[in-house]
């Protein structure tokens, strides 16, 4: 009996430990992604003579269930990818899709705006060896992209995201971090949603989409995550119209109540006068 209990405890311990051990598996992509699905913007470091800088741009799609991510990498051999649901842990059968590489070996190219413009107009993906692995722990999810040698260029892919108007992600290892909201959406209203931490800059691109910018070197050490709550641009207007309509309705109810109250008071006064008149008539008859 004692031996059986010991074996049972050991079995439970093995099951418990297996749940705590990190899981790592290689991601095999069957075919290259579609270049035409992405926007390869050459974002320049205006503080360094307009030289391209490591940049990560998140394009939230209109259906709010997918986000396209485009990296500008310079002389990099490894990239850590944190999906929007990274902190949830758990597995994902399709963690990354539509993977596109427009890169060249860093020792064979110059990280200039001309190089990135040429790569952004390329019609063929790069033939460079890489490895994609997914690490899953009870508290974290991470995708590692590794090259055999440092590369310079664009890396693009698509990830799933919760179908809500709130987008949160762990700060990537890039100097510039950009979030491009879907057309017709905005952030910055404290009632409907804001971005935390506060962006360094907010502007609109050529398509009229609101674009938020953070600069890693200007962020605090504790600001490891970025969250953007956004809303339809018309939401504040409709909300204000609803408040006005509600106030108008309340005013109408109060006005009607006031009129009804005055009418009742008038009827009561007439009734009181009639009673007084009847009393006087009765006194005269006596």
């Amino acid at each position: 009996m004692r031996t059986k209990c010991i074996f049972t405890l050991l079995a439970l311990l093995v099951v418990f430990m297996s749940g705590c051990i990190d899981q790592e598996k290689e991601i095999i992509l069957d075919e290259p992604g579609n270049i035409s699905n992405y926007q390869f913007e050459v974002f320049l470091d205006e503080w360094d003579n307009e030289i391209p800088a490591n940049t990560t741009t998140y394009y939230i799609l209109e259906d709010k269930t997918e986000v396209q991510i485009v990296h500008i990498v310079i002389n990099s051999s490894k990239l850590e990818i944190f999906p929007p649901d990274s902190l949830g842990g758990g597995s994902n059968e399709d963690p990354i899709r539509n993977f596109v590489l427009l890169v060249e070996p860093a020792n064979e190219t110059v990280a200039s705006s001309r190089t990135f413009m040429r790569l952004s107009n390329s019609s063929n993906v790069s033939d460079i060896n890489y490895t994609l692995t997914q690490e899953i722990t009870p508290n974290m999810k991470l995708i590692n992209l590794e090259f055999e040698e440092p590369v310079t260029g664009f890396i693009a892919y698509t990830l799933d995201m919760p179908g809500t108007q709130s987008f949160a992600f762990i700060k990537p290892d890039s100097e510039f971090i950009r979030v491009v909201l879907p057309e017709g959406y905005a952030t910055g209203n404290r009632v409907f949603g804001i971005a935390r931490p506060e962006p360094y800059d907010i502007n609109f691109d050529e398509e009229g989409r609101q674009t938020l910018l953070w600069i890693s070197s200007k962020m605090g050490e504790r600001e490891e995550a970025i969250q953007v709550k956004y809303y339809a641009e018309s939401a504040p207007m409709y909300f204000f119209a609803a408040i006005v309509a509600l106030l108008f309705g309340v005013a109408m109810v109060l006005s009607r109540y006031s009129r009804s109250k005055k009418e009742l008071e008038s009827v009561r006064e007439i009734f009181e006068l009639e009673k007084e008149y009847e009393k006087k008539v009765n006194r005269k008859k006596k």
Side-chain angles (χ1 to χ4, degrees):
M1 184 67 180
R2 183 177 179 183
T3 304
K4 185 178 179 180
C5 291
I6 292 175
F7 275 110
T8 302
L9 290 173
L10 287 174
L12 290 173
L13 182 62
V14 169
V15 172
F16 175 76
M17 290 299 293
S18 64
C20 297
I21 296 176
D22 296 355
Q23 301 177 26
E24 182 175 343
K25 66 176 183 179
E26 186 174 358
I27 301 173
I28 305 298
L29 301 177
D30 297 331
E31 57 185 19
N34 189 343
I35 295 176
S36 63
N37 287 350
Y38 295 103
Q39 293 179 261
F40 297 100
E41 300 178 69
V42 184
F43 189 78
L44 302 177
D45 183 357
E46 296 180 355
W47 294 270
D48 193 12
N49 299 321
E50 295 191 348
I51 296 175
N54 287 301
T55 305
T56 300
T57 303
Y58 299 85
Y59 297 90
I60 302 176
L61 302 188
E62 291 184 3
D63 62 4
K64 300 182 287 294
T65 62
E66 291 182 330
V67 56
Q68 293 180 340
I69 303 174
V70 179
H71 297 271
I72 291 178
V73 295
I74 298 174
N75 193 25
S76 176
S77 60
K78 183 176 181 179
L79 182 66
E80 291 184 334
I81 301 171
F82 295 94
D85 60 347
S86 295
L87 297 177
S91 61
N92 190 341
E93 296 297 329
D94 192 16
I96 188 170
R97 297 188 306 281
N98 203 11
F99 185 74
V100 171
L101 284 180
L102 295 176
V103 296
E104 296 177 345
N107 60 359
E108 298 178 9
T109 189
V110 178
S112 65
S113 58
R114 180 176 298 179
T115 297
F116 280 94
M117 286 296 296
R118 174 172 54 81
L119 289 172
S120 67
N121 293 318
S122 176
S123 58
N124 297 313
V125 297
S126 304
D127 185 17
I128 289 184
N129 293 328
Y130 66 89
T131 302
L132 271 174
T133 57
Q134 182 181 27
E135 295 181 24
I136 301 175
T137 69
N139 300 317
M140 183 65 69
K141 185 189 299 181
L142 171 65
I143 298 173
N144 286 312
L145 170 62
E146 295 186 61
F147 298 96
E148 294 180 353
E149 58 180 323
V151 298
T152 292
F154 293 98
I155 300 173
Y157 50 88
T158 300
L159 299 176
D160 289 327
M161 62 175 287
T164 62
Q165 291 178 197
S166 178
F167 177 56
F169 58 95
I170 295 176
K171 184 174 68 175
D173 186 20
S174 298
E175 175 60 10
F176 296 97
I177 304 162
R178 304 167 68 226
V179 172
V180 181
L181 300 181
E183 187 177 357
Y185 287 83
T187 188
N189 187 303
R190 294 194 173 274
V191 175
F192 297 94
I194 61 174
R196 295 180 182 276
E198 184 178 351
Y200 178 83
D201 182 54
I202 300 178
N203 54 50
F204 291 86
D205 65 7
E206 295 178 353
E207 299 180 23
R209 298 174 300 183
Q210 192 174 61
T211 302
L212 316 178
L213 171 68
W214 289 266
I215 302 177
S216 290
S217 58
K218 297 182 182 296
M219 297 174 65
E221 294 181 358
R222 296 183 179 180
E223 296 173 326
E224 292 298 329
I226 294 174
Q227 182 180 35
V228 181
K229 292 185 177 181
Y230 56 99
Y231 48 86
E233 290 180 334
S234 58
M237 181 182 66
Y238 284 127
F239 179 76
F240 178 74
I243 293 296
V244 170
L246 179 62
L247 292 175
F248 179 76
V250 171
M252 291 292 292
V253 170
L254 292 176
S255 176
R256 186 171 181 180
Y257 171 77
S258 178
R259 287 199 305 268
S260 298
K261 186 177 179 181
K262 289 180 179 179
E263 290 174 359
L264 288 173
E265 289 177 350
S266 298
V267 171
R268 183 180 177 182
E269 289 177 359
I270 294 172
F271 181 72
E272 292 292 338
L273 289 173
E274 288 179 349
K275 285 179 65 177
E276 289 293 331
Y277 178 76
E278 289 178 359
K279 287 181 181 180
K280 290 181 179 180
V281 171
N282 290 333
R283 281 198 297 267
K284 286 182 180 179
K285 289 181 179 181
K286 294 180 180 180

